[in-house]
Amino acid sequence: WLYQTFPNLDIDGKKVAIFGVGDQESYSDNFCDAAGELYDLFTAKGAKVYGMTSTEGYNHMESKAVVDGKFVGLMCDEDNQYDESEPRAK
């Protein structure tokens, strides 16, 4: 769906928010990469992504969800930082 149907949708000018859930300890080289792939697809189709968030306080090495030094939306790690999810969402 993501690579066959999504490219045919008309979302030019639409407002979009992205969130992701991942495990930054076990998957530190690709933490929440799917959120970054969504960002690429949305922006390529002309959507405006809102809600960029700080990467501060996370413990990961790489992520496709980081653009210009910020996450493309809210990223949560319920495995390692479950106590941080609610404060980050506020």
Side-chain angles (χ1 to χ4, degrees), residues 24 31 54-60 71 74-76 81 88:
Q24 63 190 306
F31 177 61
S54 174
T55 60
E56 189 173 327
Y58 292 86
N59 185 29
H60 69 286
F71 282 124
L74 174 64
M75 302 303 135
C76 296
Q81 293 183 331
R88 286 176 175 154

Side-chain angles (χ1 to χ4, degrees), residues 18-29:
I18 299 170
F19 66 92
V21 178
D23 179 343
Q24 63 190 306
E25 299 293 330
S26 298
Y27 300 96
S28 112
D29 289 335

Side-chain angles (χ1 to χ4, degrees), residues 62-79:
E62 295 288 329
S63 177
K64 290 181 184 178
V66 176
V67 173
D68 296 330
K70 293 190 172 218
F71 282 124
V72 297
L74 174 64
M75 302 303 135
C76 296
D77 182 345
E78 290 293 302
D79 292 319

Side-chain angles (χ1 to χ4, degrees), residues 16-22 32-36 38-39 42 49-51 53 65 71-76 89:
V16 175
I18 299 170
F19 66 92
V21 178
C32 290
D33 274 357
L38 286 171
Y39 175 87
F42 279 121
V49 177
Y50 289 86
T53 59
F71 282 124
V72 297
L74 174 64
M75 302 303 135
C76 296

